């Protein structure tokens, strides 16, 4: 009885049946048909197992903490940076929740399910505000779950809870939490999501208009509208999605503009969008995954063009960029994780060269985790309180989550473009 209460039985649809339904984004069943695909699959399985095992090894328990993981590892001290601001509890930074749920969807792994469930419940309850002036916002990662001054919808993001809600046949508590996020865009009228940086400029906008980024903000709130439309059939949420999508597509540079003034009443972006502003964070908080679902459900040609342009140019070379735009290239980051944008473009357009480019970006490991040969985990004896520490060299949760998502999605989108692994 105690065991059944601690680990209640959970019905799970088979991965094959879920995949047949073509829901919840770009993922496919595990594929070990070539040596290189097998290496990728094995690393993803090992990575999930490593993080799930860290819960016991590092005692990631407690009323406020259970379900979360740490953000950055300190190889000098052989422990996670629990005591350094911005590097401690992860608070969904760079989508570990989404990576775990995609891993569950394709494998049905019970350990991964319980691990992802604990994270979903934790981040929805602890890392997100349920009342007061920050309602609907989540708190960026820090030593305490609510300590960072940046309150953002990228943390409260419904994309991190959708899979659990549907797999459990409509978990009522998580359903309520997702529904409360529907008006989150209105909260941004009075909440400055940026951290308290001295001298930061704030745009002066008309009443009812806010400055909204397309990825970390609009896509996060759009995932709530998408889910509510699915759950209820209420077309006002579909119409709000279309309004945002169509208006982004009408901007001169579309998604490449990064953000634009947003009219809260109509749900439309305004202004010319004639300046390019690319952030490496804009597409790594569920934007790729929610856009994949929007593409399946809604036909908004202008938006399709705008998003695919972003997918084409984020990881493009400086030379290609300058030929196209004759503008400064600007800083890029997270090439490995962004390879799935290139893969999405390749799948949508049938461009074989882009498919090859996507795998090259992924296998480069640039600004990411990289693909190991074999299981990279090592045991460090004598370190830690229990005298036994397992380490994954150079691991960080940012890199792990983005590597996992890119691996899963690239294998789903462009599997045939990956060679047999010779020399990789």
């Amino acid at each position: 009885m105690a065991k059944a209460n601690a680990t209640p039985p959970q019905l799970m649809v088979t991965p094959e049946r879920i995949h047949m339904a073509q829901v919840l984004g770009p993922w496919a069943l595990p594929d070990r048909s070539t040596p290189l695909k097998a290496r990728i699959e094995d690393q993803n399985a090992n990575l999930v197992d490593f993080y799930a095992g860290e819960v016991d090894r590092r005692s990631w328990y407690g009323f406020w903490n259970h379900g979360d993981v740490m953000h950055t590892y300190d190889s000098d001290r052989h422990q996670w940076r629990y005591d350094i601001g911005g590097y401690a509890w992860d608070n969904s930074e760079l989508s570990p929740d989404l990576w775990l749920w995609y891993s569950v969807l394709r494998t049905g792994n019970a350990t991964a399910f319980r691990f992802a469930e604990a994270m979903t419940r934790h981040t929805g309850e602890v890392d997100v505000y349920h009342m007061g002036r920050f309602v609907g916002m989540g708190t960026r990662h820090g030593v305490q779950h609510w300590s960072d001054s940046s309150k953002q919808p990228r943390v409260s993001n419904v994309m991190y809870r959708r899979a659990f809600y549907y797999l459990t046949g409509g978990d009522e508590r998580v359903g309520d939490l997702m529904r409360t996020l529907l008006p989150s865009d209105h909260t941004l009228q009075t909440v400055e999501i940026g951290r308290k940086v001295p001298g930061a400029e704030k745009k002066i906008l008309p009443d009812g208009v806010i400055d909204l980024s397309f990825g970390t903000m609009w896509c996060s709130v759009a995932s709530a509208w998408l889910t509510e439309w699915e759950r209820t059939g209420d077309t006002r949420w579909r119409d709000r999605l279309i309004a945002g999508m169509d208006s982004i597509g009408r901007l001169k540079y579309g998604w490449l503009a990064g953000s634009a003034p947003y009219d809260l009443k109509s749900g439309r972006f305004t202004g010319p969008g004639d300046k390019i502003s690319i952030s490496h964070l804009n597409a790594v908080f569920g934007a790729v995954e929610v856009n994949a679902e929007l593409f399946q459900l809604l036909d908004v040609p202008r938006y399709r063009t705008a998003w695919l342009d972003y997918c084409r140019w984020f990881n493009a070379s400086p030379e290609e960029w300058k030929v196209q735009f004759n503008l400064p290239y600007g800083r890029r980051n997270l090439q490995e994780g962004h390879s799935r944008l290139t893969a999405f473009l390749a799948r949508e357009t049938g461009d074989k060269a882009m498919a090859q480019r996507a795998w090259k970006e992924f296998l480069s490991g640039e600004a990411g985790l990289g693909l190991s040969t074999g299981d990279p985990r090592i045991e460090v004896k004598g370190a830690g309180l229990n005298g036994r520490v397992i380490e994954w060299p150079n691991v960080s949760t940012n890199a792990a989550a983005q590597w996992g998502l890119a691996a899963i999605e690239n294998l789903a989108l462009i599997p045939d473009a990956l060679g047999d692994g010779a020399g990789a």
Side-chain angles (χ1 to χ4, degrees):
M1 184 182 293
K3 185 177 180 180
N5 278 293
T7 310
Q10 174 65 53
L11 288 172
M12 175 67 184
V13 185
T14 64
E16 291 79 7
R17 179 65 187 89
I18 304 171
H19 187 253
M20 191 185 302
Q22 299 183 20
V23 294
L24 298 173
W27 60 275
L29 300 172
D31 179 1
R32 290 182 166 84
S33 60
T34 70
L36 187 50
K37 288 179 181 177
R39 280 176 61 191
I40 295 171
E41 293 286 3
D42 289 346
Q43 175 152 314
N44 192 63
N46 290 337
L47 203 54
V48 172
D49 182 69
F50 168 73
Y51 268 88
E54 286 291 84
V55 174
D56 282 335
R57 289 191 294 268
R58 306 289 178 170
S59 297
W60 287 342
Y61 298 118
F63 185 78
W64 296 117
N65 301 333
H66 180 58
D68 208 346
V69 298
M70 289 278 175
H71 181 278
T72 301
Y73 195 73
D74 188 332
S75 57
D76 292 330
R77 294 189 290 169
H78 303 292
Q79 62 186 343
W80 294 84
R81 296 181 183 179
Y82 67 94
D83 56 349
I84 301 177
Y87 293 103
W89 292 113
D90 193 70
N91 287 29
S92 295
E93 184 74 358
L94 267 59
S95 305
D97 331 50
L98 201 51
W99 160 53
L100 292 173
W101 280 121
Y102 271 30
S103 296
V104 170
L105 287 169
R106 64 201 303 267
T107 66
N109 181 281
T111 298
F113 185 103
R114 302 291 182 182
F115 186 35
E117 176 186 13
M119 184 176 291
T120 296
R121 295 204 182 278
H122 166 86
T123 57
E125 301 287 3
V126 177
D127 300 340
V128 177
Y129 289 85
H130 307 289
M131 61 178 66
R133 67 191 181 103
F134 297 135
V135 66
M137 299 291 105
T139 305
R140 188 177 175 272
H141 53 97
V143 172
Q144 294 182 349
H145 299 282
W146 46 84
S147 61
D148 196 277
S149 61
S150 179
K151 315 299 182 184
Q152 299 204 30
R154 78 190 203 192
V155 179
S156 55
N157 202 334
V158 166
M159 286 304 293
Y160 302 154
R161 323 200 193 288
R162 281 168 53 79
F164 176 69
Y165 176 78
Y166 288 124
L167 289 177
T168 54
D171 182 275
E172 292 185 7
R173 175 57 182 165
V174 170
D176 289 344
L177 292 177
M178 295 193 301
R179 183 159 285 149
T180 61
L181 300 174
L182 291 170
S184 295
D185 52 345
H186 286 76
T187 302
L188 294 168
Q189 292 180 98
T190 55
V191 173
E192 170 55 58
I193 71 164
R195 286 168 284 171
K196 297 181 177 68
V197 180
E201 293 185 13
K202 184 174 177 61
K203 295 180 181 177
I204 305 301
L205 297 168
D207 290 342
V209 177
I210 60 174
D211 190 61
L212 205 65
S213 72
F214 304 147
T216 55
M217 290 192 265
W218 183 82
C219 280
S220 299
V221 185
S223 66
W225 303 333
L226 169 61
T227 306
E228 188 70 6
W229 173 37
E230 289 175 330
R231 292 170 67 186
T232 67
D234 188 338
T235 56
R236 62 178 163 155
W237 303 111
R238 176 205 62 194
D239 295 344
R240 195 163 183 84
L241 288 166
I242 292 173
M245 295 167 72
D246 179 73
S247 57
I248 289 174
R250 291 177 183 273
L251 302 176
K252 178 178 179 179
Y253 286 121
W255 249 82
L256 290 165
S259 67
Y262 176 79
D263 179 65
L264 288 162
K265 184 176 181 179
S266 67
R268 297 186 65 85
F269 290 90
T270 63
D274 56 356
K275 293 182 180 179
I276 291 177
S277 178
I278 293 179
S279 167
H280 65 284
L281 297 179
N282 221 9
V284 295
F285 287 89
V288 184
E289 295 74 20
V290 73
N291 275 315
E293 297 199 57
L294 292 175
F295 269 46
Q296 282 183 293
L297 298 168
L298 298 169
D299 182 19
V300 185
R302 288 189 179 90
Y303 187 78
R304 173 185 167 85
T305 299
W307 172 245
L308 292 183
D309 277 350
Y310 189 80
C311 292
R312 180 181 300 276
W313 296 110
F314 184 92
N315 266 349
S317 69
E319 294 75 23
E320 292 170 317
W321 176 271
K322 289 175 183 177
V323 169
Q324 176 68 19
F325 297 104
N326 195 29
L327 293 168
Y329 180 67
R331 183 174 175 267
R332 298 289 193 276
N333 199 358
L334 305 177
Q335 183 187 92
E336 178 187 77
H338 279 84
S339 67
R340 67 190 191 277
L341 277 75
T342 312
F344 188 85
L345 169 70
R347 173 65 175 268
E348 288 293 314
T349 61
D351 190 327
K352 293 182 179 180
M354 282 294 143
Q356 292 291 334
R357 194 187 95 178
W359 280 119
K360 182 178 179 181
E361 292 164 358
F362 177 76
L363 294 171
S364 75
E366 185 175 329
L369 186 65
L371 178 61
S372 301
T373 301
D375 189 337
R377 286 176 287 187
I378 57 174
E379 181 175 346
V380 182
K381 296 181 179 179
L385 295 176
N386 62 4
R388 183 173 181 270
V389 168
I390 303 298
E391 293 186 344
W392 188 299
N394 303 314
V395 76
S396 76
T397 303
N398 279 1
Q402 287 298 299
W403 183 92
L405 284 167
I408 290 169
E409 293 174 34
N410 290 352
L411 285 171
L413 294 166
I414 50 168
D416 296 339
L418 184 61
D420 61 7

